[in-house]
Amino acid sequence: MSLTFERLKKQDLLLSAVLYEKIPKEELIQHLSQVKGEEFDLIDSWAYETLQAEVKMLVDKKHEEYQRTRTMSAEEEILQKPNVIINDEKNYRETISCKQLPPNRLVLYFVENPQIVIQPKIAEYKIIEGNTFTPNYVNYCVVVGQFGSNVWRRVEHFHWLQESLQQQYPDSLIPPLPHKTIFRKFTPEHISKRSKMLEQFLGAILNNHLLRQSDFIEGFLFIDDDIKFKQLLAASSVLKQPTKYTDYANQEGQVILEFNPMMDKYFIDIHNYMLNTNDIYKELTDNSRFLVASMKDLILKVKNLYGSIGSLKEATKAFNLKNIVGSLPLLEFVYTLLEEYFIDWSANLTKLTNTLNENLYEFFRFQRDMQNQCAELISTRNKAQSKFIKEQQDLLKKKYKYFTSEPIEKWEMVTDMDKTKIKQSQALSYHFMFPKETQEVEDLKMRFAYVNRQAFQQFTQYFDNKSISYTSRMFNMSIRKKENAAQHTQHVEKIVQQFMQLVAMRNGEIPNLKQEWIDQYFNPLRISCIVK
């Protein structure tokens, strides 16, 4: 279990105790402080299981006190739903048991290494030639160093993985993939861009506590036998999206449905944040793409420059070979130094451009697409909320009308209880009348509560992972830039030193340097001729 997910579970536990179990916050803090003493910390100093046990003990104590002062009537027990902590118009939280998945090797790795961020790599690629019936395609070698995995996958396999995860975990934040192109491109630049996006796609899945539980991601990374992998593809083709929450499958073996005013405020704030940052990410993507394109244009001009210098050097060399008397050996050497200088400059710019392309343009492009996925999930959540609230209000209006003005025979009730007794209680009446419509609204409520809770968990982890990704990426970029700069500086310093020696010789400060250079840079035959 990652630290982020464990912290989230502990926060939920304390929130439930205060908001749903009605334990005063001060009383909860006082109790936990007494257990921990001076080292007490509400979150980080507690293991989840220990904190859960202490909270349960306090909740049970509160319930015992409550039962001593009040006995629940049979009618009130009818309205009480198992596993529902609170159920009113604004607060709802229910835990439903679902299928429990055994932990795969990815989950077990994160349990043992919660601080690690896995970064898959596309180590190499092959362009596979097609035939009359099969077009050419690119095969990518996917490597995850922590597991020693090394498998070859096509782009269509990445899209299969995305679609399978969408089926298995509906209303989750599934990472985006590069858009499919009508015309296949096989240029190194195009393949490199797609590789970076594919790496980020896999990284986002592996660092998502829900998605990495899937058998599909494990099979994608570790099945290197073509026959077995095809069997996995075939098995996923009959996968049906779960329609009941008991059909869901995860490592925890439970699905939590929840909404409350605090979460509503969170989604209003996160929606506004998305509106503000979507345009910024588009601007970042455009600017970084323009920067990389400008750098590539500069590299081309520098290459043209050292090409021209090289032509000058070759012309001077040809002149020197023809003319023993009055040759220009120092000028040829100067052109050699200039050519080396611009070649090194071009190589350093190329390394810097590749670093910028990998760590800025492709990264911001992926983050922009992830923001769009977040916006879609918020839209789904808001639509589910609006539909539930509208249908609930319409049903309540209808129930109020029938409760106050229509005879009980029109209430469509199916129950063995005394209907006269039911009509004496508005809560009981609302519970039993129009059972079909009531169940439909209950389904809408559960749908909204699921999407709401799912989006809250996914966003919390996504933004936490994004901050880690930014930090890791910029750290690696800085290290590479420093290494490139060190190599470039060392070579340039050598060239500068040689130029300074040229100037010193020209000023007569190093009178014998000319002969040393001739001995070092020109062939013995020409040297003997020049010396004579």
Side-chain angles (χ1 to χ4, degrees), residues 179-219:
H179 299 299
K180 294 181 179 179
T181 55
I182 299 177
F183 302 102
R184 296 172 182 263
K185 297 180 181 179
F186 299 101
T187 63
E189 183 179 5
H190 177 75
I191 294 174
S192 175
K193 287 182 178 180
R194 293 183 77 85
S195 296
K196 298 305 173 187
M197 290 285 283
L198 297 177
E199 287 177 353
Q200 295 188 79
F201 166 75
L202 291 177
I205 292 174
L206 292 178
N207 293 290
N208 183 300
H209 80 275
L210 180 65
L211 302 183
R212 64 171 170 251
Q213 300 175 26
S214 173
D215 291 338
F216 297 124
I217 180 63
E218 185 178 32

Side-chain angles (χ1 to χ4, degrees), residues 106 298 497:
L106 297 170
L298 176 60
Q497 185 179 12

Side-chain angles (χ1 to χ4, degrees), residues 330 505 510-522 527-528 530-532:
L330 289 181
M505 187 200 70
I510 311 178
N512 297 325
L513 190 61
K514 180 176 181 179
Q515 185 62 47
E516 294 175 9
W517 280 350
I518 290 174
D519 291 341
Q520 182 178 357
Y521 287 100
F522 299 99
I527 291 174
S528 62
I530 294 171
V531 171
K532 289 179 182 178

